């Protein structure tokens, strides 16, 4: 199965989650799955509708045009959505039935976020902003941690308005650890396997 097939399979898995959400009458999950299916359709549609995007936007759009990166994103989204409501069950592993399930999402999310960040930074070469490989890795991790810590802070600030979000400091640190392990896997993938891209090519 190629990358496009992985994206299509992920959309199908999310669709099963959408059907489950309707059966379970979970409005939050209906919205979540609809957004996920729409988002996963973008890398399948945009390159065809806009084969030559504006040069100024390329650094930020480059990951969307990379089916390998999008395939990994699709796997992350399909897994995350399925954890929130396991298809054709009432299990919510993410918020209720197994609260440790967020470790899986943070691990996969960390991997994808680091890859996207590095791909965007690499795309800045179109504007003459070029980084050596060590600097690209360093700046990739700096932006990655800014986003990861920012996410945890945003979650903490939203605890008062969203009832199911209430995490201890230890949980926050564990989330950051899983993010980091995912990012390190991404680094290993691009360095040792050249997938979804090679830093040498960037």
């Amino acid at each position: 199965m190629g990358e496009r097939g992985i994206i299509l399979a992920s959309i199908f898995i999310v669709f099963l989650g959408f059907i489950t959400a309707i059966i379970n009458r979970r409005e939050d999950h209906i919205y979540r799955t609809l957004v996920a299916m729409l988002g996963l359709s973008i890398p399948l549609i945009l390159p065809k509708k806009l084969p030559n995007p504006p040069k100024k936007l390329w650094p930020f759009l480059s990951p969307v045009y990379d089916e390998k990166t999008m395939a990994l994103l699709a796997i992350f989204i399909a897994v995350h959505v399925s954890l929130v409501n396991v298809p054709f069950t009432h299990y919510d592993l993410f918020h209720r039935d197994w609260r440790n399930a967020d470790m899986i999402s943070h691990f996969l999310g960390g991997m994808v976020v680091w890859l996207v960040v590095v791909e965007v930074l690499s795309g800045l070469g179109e504007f003459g902003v070029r980084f050596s490989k060590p600097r690209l890795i360093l700046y990739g991790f700096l932006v990655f941690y800014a986003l990861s810590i920012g996410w945890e802070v945003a979650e903490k600030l939203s605890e008062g308005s969203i009832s199911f979000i209430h995490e201890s400091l230890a949980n926050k640190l564990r989330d950051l650890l899983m993010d980091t392990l995912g990012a390190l896997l991404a680094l290993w993938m691009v360095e040792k396997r050249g997938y979804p891209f090679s830093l040498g090519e960037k």
Side-chain angles (χ1 to χ4, degrees), residues 99-100 102 152 155-156 159 165-176:
R99 296 294 295 273
N100 292 328
D102 70 334
E152 295 301 328
E155 274 192 336
K156 192 66 179 176
E159 284 185 358
I165 294 181
H166 185 73
E167 297 178 344
S168 65
L169 177 59
N171 185 277
K172 296 292 185 188
L173 293 175
R174 187 191 69 182
D175 290 347
L176 287 173

Side-chain angles (χ1 to χ4, degrees), residues 77-152:
I77 291 178
V79 170
H80 177 71
V81 168
S82 298
L83 290 173
V84 174
N85 192 177
V86 180
F88 302 113
T89 75
H90 289 276
Y91 290 115
D92 182 344
L93 300 181
F94 203 84
H95 300 124
R96 188 185 62 227
D97 298 301
W98 185 48
R99 296 294 295 273
N100 292 328
D102 70 334
M103 291 191 299
I104 301 171
S105 289
H106 277 282
F107 178 77
L108 294 175
M111 175 187 69
V112 171
V113 168
W114 189 86
L115 289 170
V116 170
V117 166
V118 170
E119 199 153 5
V120 169
L121 291 176
S122 300
L124 295 177
E126 294 290 331
F127 301 136
V129 182
R130 300 186 184 280
F131 304 109
S132 63
K133 183 189 290 188
R135 285 187 178 274
L136 185 59
I137 294 173
L138 173 62
Y139 293 154
F141 273 100
L142 289 176
V143 175
F144 165 79
Y145 278 116
L147 294 173
S148 298
I149 294 172
W151 174 265
E152 295 301 328

